[in-house]
Amino acid sequence: MSKILVTGGLGYIGSHTVVELQNSGFEVVIVDNLSNSSIAVLDGIVAITGIKPHFVKMDLREKDSVNNFFEKHQDIKGIIYFAASKAVGESVENPLLYYENNINTLVYVLQNCVKHDISNFIFSSSCTVYGEPDSLPISEEAPVKKATSPYGNTKQISEEILQDTCSVSNLKSVALRYFNPIGAHDSALIGELPLGIPQNLVPFITQTAIGLREQLQVFGDDYPTPDGSCIRDYIHVVDLAKAHVVALQRLLSHKNTSGFEVFNIGTGKGSSVLEVVNTFEKVTGNKLNYKIANRRSGDVIAVYADTLKANNELGWKAQKTLEEALLSAWNWEKKIRHQ
Ligand code: NAD
Ligand code: WQD
């Protein structure tokens, strides 16, 4: 049983990935500083899988702690790297926090990969690296455009750091460029736990439907799209979690074709904000209080993935529908609000 380190493994995508890793027979060590997650997530993972992963509470910004961790855990075969700060607006206000938490931490961990010859590394990247696409669907060949936020820049820089490290060491890395992850585990035992007012569409919808927020604002209905609202590729978090297991198995079985690879992880289907709202109303039977508001600055008009590379080379394809994703997000919201 290979031992896999999952940094940020108590977070939203990390916790779902830990479940899939354990279901696939991997032994998991989670490192998390709980800055954006709760220790109770461990209970959810145990309830779903029947297995308690190892957990080490540690801040990856503490270089000495990181080095000590790797001295103690010499049998790690691979790393899935989720730990990062992810709020775009906060990154504009406090860029150094983002460069420290998303870049320094990655460098400390990679130094240990090289030192201890840990060669299999999966990284959480984002479709944000593409900016406003020139054509759709967007493939991995599309240019990376100048980032519009320090957060986005940390993803671009991280990919470059990985590529450079892979070219001079035994490190092999896959960067998964996620589109818009939504939804929760079918059991409603784990899901997304946004702190404060949600910035993302789906948690804002579920919090409005449950009565925590008065009204959803749809940011713009005058975009050049069929219904005027922005288009995104909403990917069920369980499908996304499974992509990590497949990518890891690819590296462990030496199926990668170069030291550094990138894959789009999306459904390949674009949905507008209004389609998401309507689908949520249809599958949950809720009437959502929403109004059309001004555009949100920095939003791209439309982006959805060309998934051919992930389908053909990784052997991964999203299985779940938008309906299933929204229903699971709603079941999770009801569960955490005891309704
Ligand atoms: P999340 O905030 O739920 O999870 C991140 C986890 O990392 C949290 O549990 C947090 O406590 C931990 N963490 C943060 N800084 C740490 C540090 N210095 N030391 C140890 N632990 C630390 O976020 P998520 O949505 O699960 O995202 C996971 C990754 O995927 C991130 O890298 C994010 O940038 C990336 N990503 C997310 C999305 C999205 O929309 N959720 C989209 C694309 C990419
Ligand atoms: C989706 C759509 C909004 C909230 C962000 C990051 C990106 C990635 C995923 C990490 C947009 C609209 C939203 C609301 C709305 N994260 N919306 N009312 O902006 O596509 O991507 O999360 O890498 O980097 O930028 O996701 O969920 O915020 O917005 O109308 O209250 O919903 O305008 O069109 P986004 P989102």
Side-chain angles (χ1 to χ4, degrees):
M1 202 161 56
S2 301
K3 192 188 268 190
I4 306 301
L5 167 63
V6 181
T7 73
L10 290 185
Y12 173 43
I13 306 167
S15 57
H16 289 82
T17 302
V18 170
V19 164
E20 297 305 323
L21 284 169
Q22 295 195 153
N23 284 343
S24 303
F26 289 100
E27 183 183 350
V28 175
V29 185
I30 294 174
V31 165
D32 202 302
N33 66 353
L34 302 178
S35 58
N36 199 32
S37 53
S38 150
I39 191 71
V41 174
L42 266 183
D43 299 334
I45 293 170
V46 176
I48 296 168
T49 62
I51 303 165
K52 188 166 188 178
H54 308 276
F55 172 64
V56 179
K57 182 170 185 252
M58 188 171 85
D59 191 329
L60 293 162
R61 288 173 296 191
E62 292 165 8
K63 186 175 182 176
D64 291 343
S65 307
V66 175
N67 292 342
N68 289 338
F69 171 88
F70 281 98
E71 288 299 334
K72 272 199 215 127
H73 297 81
Q74 301 259 352
D75 53 347
I76 287 171
K77 294 283 179 288
I79 299 178
I80 306 188
Y81 200 89
F82 293 104
S85 301
K86 62 167 182 176
V88 176
E90 184 187 46
S91 81
V92 175
E93 268 152 36
N94 197 347
L96 292 179
L97 180 82
Y98 275 67
Y99 289 114
E100 183 185 34
N101 206 41
N102 296 7
I103 303 292
N104 291 11
T105 56
L106 177 67
V107 171
Y108 300 157
V109 171
L110 288 177
Q111 286 169 336
N112 279 282
C113 288
V114 174
K115 181 172 178 198
H116 298 288
D117 209 20
I118 301 168
S119 52
N120 305 299
F121 197 97
I122 311 296
F123 179 72
S124 297
S125 190
S126 167
C127 69
T128 191
V129 302
Y130 296 122
E132 185 80 58
D134 296 321
S135 64
L136 287 167
I138 192 148
S139 86
E140 293 84 350
E141 302 296 311
V144 165
K145 296 208 177 142
K146 183 171 165 41
T148 52
S149 71
Y151 168 75
N153 206 21
T154 67
K155 293 299 173 192
Q156 300 189 0
I157 295 169
S158 296
E159 287 195 7
E160 288 174 358
I161 290 172
L162 286 166
Q163 185 157 29
D164 291 345
T165 309
C166 289
S167 70
V168 294
S169 70
N170 289 334
L171 189 75
K172 299 178 293 177
S173 178
V174 171
L176 299 178
R177 291 178 177 164
Y178 315 155
F179 282 66
N180 287 56
I182 61 164
H185 195 265
D186 275 346
S187 63
L189 289 164
I190 54 172
E192 191 170 7
L193 283 169
L195 282 180
I197 302 173
Q199 306 301 308
N200 294 113
L201 178 64
V202 171
F204 206 104
I205 288 177
T206 56
Q207 289 197 8
T208 305
I210 206 102
L212 271 179
R213 312 277 153 216
E214 201 187 324
Q215 190 175 49
L216 169 77
Q217 298 188 61
V218 171
F219 296 137
D221 70 345
D222 56 352
Y223 285 100
T225 61
D227 66 19
S229 63
C230 290
I231 290 175
R232 298 287 183 275
D233 184 338
Y234 295 94
I235 168 88
H236 196 302
V237 68
V238 172
D239 277 334
L240 174 58
K242 288 179 177 166
H244 293 78
V245 178
V246 175
L248 180 69
Q249 284 163 337
R250 175 182 177 85
L251 292 183
L252 289 170
S253 57
H254 309 284
K255 300 241 170 65
N256 55 306
T257 53
S258 66
F260 177 72
E261 297 178 309
V262 297
F263 293 97
N264 284 344
I265 304 296
T267 65
K269 183 175 173 291
S271 305
S272 73
V273 177
L274 290 169
E275 279 170 344
V276 173
V277 168
N278 293 336
T279 308
F280 179 83
E281 291 187 330
K282 192 184 81 193
V283 295
T284 66
N286 283 291
K287 191 90 197 85
L288 202 67
N289 182 17
Y290 74 90
K291 70 163 187 191
I292 306 297
N294 289 336
R295 293 181 176 195
R296 181 173 72 176
S297 87
D299 273 339
V300 301
I301 302 165
V303 62
Y304 49 93
D306 181 333
T307 61
L308 275 180
K309 189 177 175 202
N311 301 161
N312 296 338
E313 286 189 40
L314 208 52
W316 170 91
K317 197 175 193 327
Q319 303 293 328
K320 291 177 178 280
T321 62
L322 180 65
E323 282 81 357
E324 289 171 295
L326 291 171
L327 191 57
S328 70
W330 177 233
N331 288 337
W332 166 245
E333 187 71 60
K334 285 193 293 187
K335 180 76 181 293
I336 55 177
R337 310 296 167 201
H338 311 290
Q339 290 196 21

